[in-house]
Amino acid sequence: MNEVVNFLSENPVLYLATIGRDGKPKVRPFQFMLEKEGKLFFCTSNQKEVYKEIKLNPYVEFSATNQNNVWIRISGRIKFSNDLEVKTTIIEHNPLVKSIYKTPDNPIFEIFYLDDAKAVIADFSGQPPKQYNL
């Protein structure tokens, strides 16, 4: 888990792949927010299309790469949370999120984590990828 969290902390912009409500793949940038008790947290607005997509089909995959061409893929099932402590931490530590949602109790502010997540860290070295069950 530490290697995964370190990679995400150093490369916080990931790309989230979902299945759109039209049945076609959709990819968009997302930010990693934090890890708590082995759960990787992200956030969004319940007014966005992505929220509707993941409510309909909660199985997603994130991907990111670093400047050394090492990449990570994380897949799992999205679970929404109302953990006010996590929401508060996200708001306090991310100025962009705070500028959008203002307070942790904003009714459109949603947080989620990946359940039964699996991560793969790989590169072009020819070495086998590192695999993690999170």
Side-chain angles (χ1 to χ4, degrees):
M1 175 63 98
N2 286 342
E3 189 169 358
V4 170
V5 171
N6 288 342
F7 190 97
L8 295 176
S9 297
E10 293 169 5
N11 306 280
V13 177
L14 298 95
Y15 291 88
L16 172 64
T18 62
I19 300 297
R21 292 190 299 162
D22 61 1
K24 297 177 182 174
K26 309 292 181 206
V27 178
R28 79 245 319 136
F30 252 74
Q31 282 188 311
F32 169 64
M33 292 293 127
L34 61 90
E35 178 272 334
K36 181 182 177 191
E37 298 172 358
K39 297 174 183 169
L40 305 175
F41 280 90
F42 303 86
C43 65
T44 193
S45 165
N46 59 25
Q47 305 299 299
K48 291 184 176 181
E49 187 67 18
V50 67
Y51 176 82
K52 296 169 187 163
E53 291 169 4
I54 56 183
K55 289 295 275 187
L56 186 64
N57 185 349
Y59 294 94
V60 301
E61 186 166 89
F62 284 98
S63 182
T65 196
N66 70 15
Q67 62 192 23
N68 298 319
N69 294 316
V70 177
W71 63 87
I72 191 167
R73 290 176 43 213
I74 305 170
S75 60
R77 182 173 196 260
I78 287 181
K79 296 272 185 139
F80 285 92
S81 170
N82 288 317
D83 187 324
L84 196 56
E85 181 181 324
V86 172
K87 286 183 171 188
T88 300
T89 301
I90 291 171
I91 291 276
E92 289 175 352
H93 292 93
N94 190 305
L96 177 61
V97 174
K98 185 172 186 163
S99 74
I100 296 168
Y101 301 108
K102 311 292 187 228
T103 64
D105 59 350
N106 184 325
I108 69 168
F109 180 42
E110 300 284 346
I111 61 170
F112 62 89
Y113 62 91
L114 294 177
D115 190 42
D116 195 29
K118 297 183 182 356
V120 175
I121 298 177
D123 60 31
F124 292 113
S125 69
Q127 297 297 313
K130 297 175 185 175
Q131 299 187 29
Y132 305 89
N133 290 319
L134 307 176

